Amino acid sequence: MWRDLGLVVLPLLAVLAVLPAVYDNGALLLNFVVFLVLAQGLNLTYGFSGYLPFGYVGFFGAGAYGFAMSVTLAGAPPLLGVLAGGGASLLVGLLLTPLLRLQGAYFGLASLAAAEALLHLIGNPNLQPVTGGPYGVKLQAGYAPLLTYALALAILALTMLLVAWLRHARFGLRLLAARDDALAAAMAGIDIVRGRLVIWLASALAAGLIGAVFAWRTATFFPDAVFDLNFSIFAIVFTLFGGAGTLAGPVFGVLLLYGLYNAIGLSAPQYFQLAYGVLIMLLALFFPEGLAGIARRIADG
Amino acid sequence: MTSALLEIAGLHAGYGSIRVLWGVDLAVRTGETAVLLGANGAGKTTLLKCLAGLLPARGGAIRWRGEDITRLPARVRVRRGLCHMSELGIFPDLTIAENLDLGALFVDRATARRRRAELYTLFPILAERRHAAAATLSGGQRKMLGIARALAAEPALLAMDEPSAGLSPKLVGTVIESLARCRAAGLALLIAEQNVRFLDLADTVFTLEGGRAAAALTPDAVRQDDRLRRAYFGMGM
């Protein structure tokens, strides 16, 4: 646990904390942190309970709208709004708990459908007075680049601490056992339902909190911008590429792939898509456990 | 006579429209070893599943230390000391050490540590390969791990479904030896078996036929009964 913190969490946070002083594209830095949180949040549910929610962006969008609505409708201060965003994602997570009865692709598709349903509920023109409907949100919460960045880092720290703790605690071991074989876990005396529920809500909360911070920073957005399926896809690809269930894997996944995306994805999208596709295929074919799997093979000789 | 640790009374169970158990009666006292004999399809596995809480009973009662546990979920029974060992019992993707930790989830840490040391002495092969994934173990070693994991939970009674299945005669000997040591330490056992060597461990023997358990027999009575011998162990003993 301390080794994980010293080797992965602290160095990453230290670099991210110093970067704004030497690199002036703050929006890009924030996006990196957003994807780091989303990848680690997805890592919580996929790495530790085996559920792969394609609709993970639904929590992100719920957090963004929880923030926006609490600020615009209730006049909440932005910091409280971030908590409201987290609360909104927890609520959505609770409403979706019946999905945990499904498995594999069925669960993935059902969570995707749920995220789409939430998008269309919020984007409903009849709800314009409440949610802004299809015309989106225009916030007056105040532009606070440093504060939002610091908040994003704090959320990242908490999410990674949770992952690091789970990798060493008995609770994490129970989750892994239930992921491996639910029946055998029940026969080992493990409360499977409770474990899965806790990790599902924690994962939802991480996405919701960072969605709220994203909304604060962005200030003006349309519903399909915060319910953009690309958030889910990126988070899944980064996590799997790096290695689910590990702490450093998703970090390297984000740094490498999101770095690649920003380096050539916008200037030369055709080559980016090609490089991306080939890279992911190669990894899936030869290293299904991601970058972490490669590291482990090297370590094992 | 001490009161029963485990008491099964008039247990009915089945799958869909198929009835397998038609009123099974069986009792195991504290520290006692009971062997459950039955041909394939007699209902041994069904009985053990009911006992573990993996299959709901359709009638009758299961009592544990005098308390009715017929409706308790599987995980609660384990925590009360009623454990079950089968091939299902191990987690292939986790290491051997992690598998043993999972067995000891509900035991305090000091006891768990002492217990683990004992189990590594009992099963040296597990100590040797403690950081390897359980999937890399052979069939016999997995069985050892299954037993060790169940024992790590410090059960009062361990129910086992054919611990000898798929093992070489030498490994069967090792399993029996380790079970004998657990028995000497006060563990009650309920072993569903077809291998005659397990009679050496038994205090009582129950035969399961047509979904009903006959009255308790002594191991000697089984050994001397030609019909039982033929029915369960073939002619070779």
Side-chain angles (χ1 to χ4, degrees), chain B residues 117-165:
Chain B
E118 284 170 17
L119 288 169
Y120 280 146
T121 332
L122 200 59
F123 304 104
I125 182 70
L126 299 182
E128 215 172 281
R129 311 206 42 199
R130 64 179 82 183
H131 296 302
T136 65
L137 294 177
S138 73
Q141 292 167 342
R142 279 183 203 210
K143 193 101 37 174
M144 299 293 174
L145 179 59
I147 296 174
R149 223 219 57 206
L151 291 177
E154 298 246 306
L157 184 142
L158 179 58
M160 313 177 92
D161 197 356
E162 299 219 10
S164 78

Coordinates of all heavy atoms in Angstrom, one line a residue, chain B residues 117-165:
Chain B
A117 N 0.2 -20.6 9.3 CA 1.5 -21.3 9.5 C 1.2 -22.8 9.6 O 1.9 -23.7 9.0 CB 2.2 -20.8 10.7
E118 N 0.2 -23.2 10.4 CA -0.2 -24.6 10.6 C -0.5 -25.2 9.3 O -0.1 -26.4 9.0 CB -1.4 -24.7 11.5 CG -1.1 -24.5 13.0 CD -2.4 -24.4 13.8 OE1 -3.5 -24.8 13.3 OE2 -2.3 -23.9 14.9
L119 N -1.3 -24.5 8.4 CA -1.8 -25.1 7.2 C -0.6 -25.3 6.2 O -0.5 -26.3 5.5 CB -2.8 -24.2 6.5 CG -4.2 -24.3 7.3 CD1 -5.1 -23.2 6.7 CD2 -4.8 -25.6 7.1
Y120 N 0.4 -24.4 6.3 CA 1.6 -24.5 5.4 C 2.4 -25.7 5.9 O 3.0 -26.4 5.0 CB 2.4 -23.2 5.4 CG 1.9 -22.2 4.5 CD1 2.0 -20.8 4.9 CD2 1.3 -22.5 3.3 CE1 1.5 -19.8 4.0 CE2 0.8 -21.5 2.5 CZ 0.9 -20.1 2.8 OH 0.5 -19.2 2.0
T121 N 2.4 -26.0 7.2 CA 3.1 -27.2 7.6 C 2.4 -28.4 7.2 O 3.0 -29.4 6.8 CB 3.2 -27.2 9.2 OG1 3.2 -25.9 9.6 CG2 4.5 -27.9 9.6
L122 N 1.1 -28.4 7.2 CA 0.2 -29.5 6.9 C 0.3 -29.8 5.4 O 0.4 -31.0 5.0 CB -1.2 -29.2 7.3 CG -2.2 -30.4 7.4 CD1 -1.7 -31.3 8.5 CD2 -3.6 -29.8 7.8
F123 N 0.4 -28.7 4.6 CA 0.5 -28.9 3.1 C 1.7 -28.1 2.6 O 1.6 -27.0 2.1 CB -0.8 -28.3 2.5 CG -2.1 -28.9 2.9 CD1 -2.9 -28.2 3.8 CD2 -2.5 -30.2 2.5 CE1 -4.1 -28.8 4.3 CE2 -3.7 -30.7 3.0 CZ -4.5 -30.0 3.8
P124 N 2.9 -28.8 2.7 CA 4.1 -28.0 2.3 C 4.1 -27.5 0.9 O 4.6 -26.5 0.6 CB 5.2 -29.1 2.5 CG 4.6 -30.2 3.3 CD 3.1 -30.1 3.1
I125 N 3.4 -28.3 0.0 CA 3.4 -27.8 -1.4 C 2.7 -26.5 -1.6 O 3.1 -25.7 -2.4 CB 2.6 -28.9 -2.3 CG1 2.6 -28.5 -3.8 CG2 1.2 -29.1 -1.8 CD1 4.0 -28.6 -4.4
L126 N 1.8 -26.2 -0.7 CA 1.1 -24.8 -0.8 C 2.1 -23.7 -0.3 O 2.1 -22.6 -0.9 CB -0.1 -24.8 0.1 CG -1.2 -25.8 -0.3 CD1 -2.4 -25.7 0.6 CD2 -1.6 -25.7 -1.8
A127 N 2.9 -24.0 0.7 CA 3.8 -23.0 1.2 C 4.9 -22.7 0.1 O 5.2 -21.6 -0.1 CB 4.6 -23.6 2.4
E128 N 5.3 -23.8 -0.6 CA 6.3 -23.7 -1.6 C 5.8 -22.7 -2.7 O 6.6 -22.0 -3.3 CB 6.5 -25.1 -2.2 CG 7.9 -25.4 -2.6 CD 8.0 -26.8 -3.0 OE1 8.1 -27.7 -2.0 OE2 7.9 -27.1 -4.2
R129 N 4.5 -22.8 -3.1 CA 4.0 -22.1 -4.2 C 3.1 -21.0 -3.8 O 2.2 -20.7 -4.6 CB 3.3 -23.1 -5.1 CG 4.2 -24.4 -5.4 CD 3.9 -25.0 -6.7 NE 3.7 -24.1 -7.7 CZ 3.0 -24.3 -8.9 NH1 2.5 -25.5 -9.1 NH2 2.9 -23.4 -9.8
R130 N 3.3 -20.5 -2.7 CA 2.2 -19.6 -2.1 C 2.0 -18.3 -3.0 O 0.9 -17.8 -3.0 CB 2.6 -19.1 -0.7 CG 3.9 -18.3 -0.6 CD 4.1 -17.9 0.9 NE 4.8 -19.0 1.6 CZ 5.0 -19.0 2.9 NH1 4.7 -18.0 3.6 NH2 5.6 -20.0 3.5
H131 N 2.9 -17.9 -3.8 CA 2.7 -16.7 -4.6 C 2.3 -17.0 -6.0 O 2.2 -16.1 -6.9 CB 3.9 -15.8 -4.6 CG 4.2 -15.3 -3.2 ND1 3.3 -14.5 -2.5 CD2 5.3 -15.4 -2.4 CE1 3.8 -14.3 -1.3 NE2 5.0 -14.8 -1.2
A132 N 2.1 -18.3 -6.3 CA 1.6 -18.7 -7.6 C 0.1 -18.6 -7.7 O -0.6 -18.8 -6.7 CB 2.1 -20.1 -8.0
A133 N -0.4 -18.4 -8.9 CA -1.9 -18.4 -9.1 C -2.4 -19.8 -8.9 O -1.8 -20.8 -9.3 CB -2.3 -17.9 -10.5
A134 N -3.6 -19.9 -8.2 CA -4.2 -21.2 -8.0 C -4.4 -22.0 -9.2 O -4.4 -23.2 -9.2 CB -5.4 -21.1 -7.2
A135 N -4.6 -21.3 -10.4 CA -4.8 -21.9 -11.6 C -3.7 -22.8 -12.1 O -3.8 -23.7 -12.8 CB -5.1 -20.9 -12.7
T136 N -2.5 -22.5 -11.5 CA -1.3 -23.3 -12.0 C -1.1 -24.6 -11.2 O -0.2 -25.3 -11.5 CB 0.0 -22.4 -11.8 OG1 0.2 -22.2 -10.4 CG2 -0.1 -21.1 -12.5
L137 N -2.0 -24.8 -10.2 CA -1.9 -26.1 -9.4 C -2.5 -27.3 -10.2 O -3.4 -27.1 -11.0 CB -2.6 -25.9 -8.1 CG -2.1 -24.9 -7.1 CD1 -3.0 -24.8 -5.9 CD2 -0.7 -25.2 -6.7
S138 N -2.0 -28.4 -9.8 CA -2.5 -29.6 -10.4 C -3.8 -30.0 -9.7 O -4.2 -29.4 -8.7 CB -1.6 -30.8 -10.2 OG -1.6 -31.2 -8.9
G139 N -4.6 -30.9 -10.2 CA -5.9 -31.3 -9.7 C -5.7 -31.7 -8.2 O -6.5 -31.2 -7.4
G140 N -4.7 -32.5 -7.9 CA -4.6 -32.9 -6.5 C -4.2 -31.7 -5.6 O -4.7 -31.6 -4.5
Q141 N -3.3 -30.9 -6.1 CA -2.9 -29.7 -5.3 C -4.1 -28.8 -5.1 O -4.2 -28.1 -4.0 CB -1.8 -29.0 -6.0 CG -0.5 -29.8 -6.1 CD 0.5 -29.2 -7.0 OE1 0.2 -28.4 -7.9 NE2 1.8 -29.6 -6.9
R142 N -5.0 -28.6 -6.1 CA -6.1 -27.8 -5.9 C -7.0 -28.3 -4.8 O -7.6 -27.5 -4.0 CB -7.0 -27.8 -7.2 CG -6.4 -26.8 -8.2 CD -7.4 -26.8 -9.4 NE -6.6 -26.4 -10.5 CZ -7.1 -25.7 -11.6 NH1 -8.4 -25.5 -11.6 NH2 -6.4 -25.3 -12.6
K143 N -7.1 -29.6 -4.8 CA -7.9 -30.2 -3.7 C -7.3 -29.9 -2.3 O -8.1 -29.6 -1.4 CB -8.0 -31.7 -3.9 CG -9.0 -32.5 -3.1 CD -10.3 -32.8 -3.9 CE -10.2 -33.2 -5.3 NZ -11.4 -33.7 -5.9
M144 N -6.0 -30.0 -2.3 CA -5.3 -29.6 -1.0 C -5.7 -28.2 -0.6 O -6.0 -27.8 0.5 CB -3.8 -29.7 -1.2 CG -3.3 -31.1 -1.5 SD -3.5 -32.2 -0.2 CE -3.0 -33.7 -0.9
L145 N -5.6 -27.3 -1.7 CA -5.8 -25.9 -1.4 C -7.3 -25.7 -1.0 O -7.6 -24.9 0.0 CB -5.6 -25.1 -2.7 CG -5.8 -23.6 -2.6 CD1 -5.0 -23.0 -1.5 CD2 -5.5 -22.9 -3.9
G146 N -8.2 -26.4 -1.6 CA -9.6 -26.3 -1.2 C -9.8 -26.7 0.2 O -10.5 -26.0 1.0
I147 N -9.2 -27.8 0.6 CA -9.3 -28.2 2.0 C -8.6 -27.2 3.0 O -9.2 -26.8 4.0 CB -8.6 -29.6 2.2 CG1 -9.3 -30.7 1.4 CG2 -8.6 -30.0 3.7 CD1 -8.6 -32.0 1.4
A148 N -7.4 -26.7 2.6 CA -6.7 -25.8 3.4 C -7.5 -24.5 3.6 O -7.6 -23.9 4.6 CB -5.3 -25.5 2.8
R149 N -8.1 -24.1 2.5 CA -8.9 -22.8 2.5 C -10.1 -23.0 3.4 O -10.4 -22.1 4.2 CB -9.4 -22.4 1.1 CG -9.3 -21.0 0.8 CD -10.4 -20.5 0.1 NE -11.7 -20.7 0.8 CZ -12.8 -20.9 0.2 NH1 -12.9 -20.8 -1.1 NH2 -13.9 -21.1 0.9
A150 N -10.8 -24.1 3.3 CA -11.9 -24.4 4.2 C -11.5 -24.4 5.7 O -12.1 -23.9 6.6 CB -12.6 -25.7 3.8
L151 N -10.3 -25.0 5.9 CA -9.8 -25.2 7.3 C -9.4 -23.8 7.9 O -9.4 -23.6 9.1 CB -8.6 -26.1 7.4 CG -9.0 -27.6 7.1 CD1 -7.7 -28.4 7.1 CD2 -10.0 -28.1 8.1
A152 N -8.9 -22.9 7.0 CA -8.5 -21.6 7.4 C -9.6 -20.8 8.1 O -9.4 -19.9 8.9 CB -7.9 -20.8 6.2
A153 N -10.8 -21.2 7.8 CA -12.0 -20.5 8.4 C -12.3 -21.0 9.8 O -13.3 -20.6 10.4 CB -13.2 -20.7 7.5
E154 N -11.5 -21.9 10.3 CA -11.7 -22.5 11.6 C -13.1 -23.1 11.8 O -13.8 -22.6 12.7 CB -11.4 -21.5 12.7 CG -10.0 -21.0 12.7 CD -9.3 -21.4 14.0 OE1 -9.8 -21.1 15.1 OE2 -8.2 -22.0 13.9
P155 N -13.5 -23.9 10.9 CA -14.9 -24.4 11.0 C -15.1 -25.4 12.1 O -14.1 -25.9 12.6 CB -15.1 -25.2 9.6 CG -13.8 -25.6 9.2 CD -12.8 -24.6 9.8
A156 N -16.4 -25.5 12.5 CA -16.7 -26.6 13.5 C -17.0 -27.8 12.8 O -16.8 -28.9 13.3 CB -17.9 -26.1 14.4
L157 N -17.6 -27.7 11.6 CA -17.9 -28.9 10.8 C -17.5 -28.5 9.4 O -17.8 -27.5 8.8 CB -19.4 -29.2 10.9 CG -19.8 -30.5 10.1 CD1 -20.8 -31.3 10.9 CD2 -20.3 -30.3 8.7
L158 N -16.8 -29.5 8.7 CA -16.5 -29.3 7.3 C -17.2 -30.4 6.5 O -17.0 -31.6 6.8 CB -15.0 -29.5 7.2 CG -14.4 -29.3 5.8 CD1 -14.8 -28.0 5.1 CD2 -12.9 -29.5 5.8
A159 N -18.0 -30.0 5.6 CA -18.7 -30.9 4.7 C -17.9 -31.0 3.4 O -17.5 -30.0 2.9 CB -20.1 -30.4 4.4
M160 N -17.7 -32.2 2.9 CA -16.9 -32.4 1.7 C -17.6 -33.3 0.7 O -18.2 -34.3 1.1 CB -15.6 -33.0 2.1 CG -14.9 -32.4 3.3 SD -13.4 -33.3 3.7 CE -12.3 -32.3 2.8
D161 N -17.6 -32.8 -0.5 CA -18.2 -33.6 -1.6 C -17.1 -34.4 -2.3 O -16.3 -33.8 -3.1 CB -18.9 -32.7 -2.6 CG -19.9 -33.5 -3.4 OD1 -19.9 -34.7 -3.3 OD2 -20.7 -32.8 -4.2
E162 N -17.0 -35.7 -2.1 CA -16.0 -36.6 -2.7 C -14.6 -36.0 -2.8 O -14.1 -35.7 -3.9 CB -16.5 -36.9 -4.2 CG -17.8 -37.6 -4.1 CD -17.9 -38.7 -5.2 OE1 -16.9 -39.1 -5.8 OE2 -19.0 -39.3 -5.3
P163 N -14.0 -35.8 -1.7 CA -12.6 -35.3 -1.7 C -11.6 -36.2 -2.4 O -10.6 -35.7 -2.8 CB -12.3 -35.2 -0.2 CG -13.2 -36.1 0.5 CD -14.5 -36.1 -0.3
S164 N -12.0 -37.4 -2.6 CA -11.0 -38.3 -3.3 C -11.1 -38.3 -4.8 O -10.3 -38.9 -5.5 CB -11.1 -39.8 -2.8 OG -12.3 -40.4 -3.4
A165 N -12.2 -37.7 -5.3 CA -12.5 -37.8 -6.8 C -11.3 -37.2 -7.6 O -10.8 -36.2 -7.3 CB -13.8 -37.0 -7.1

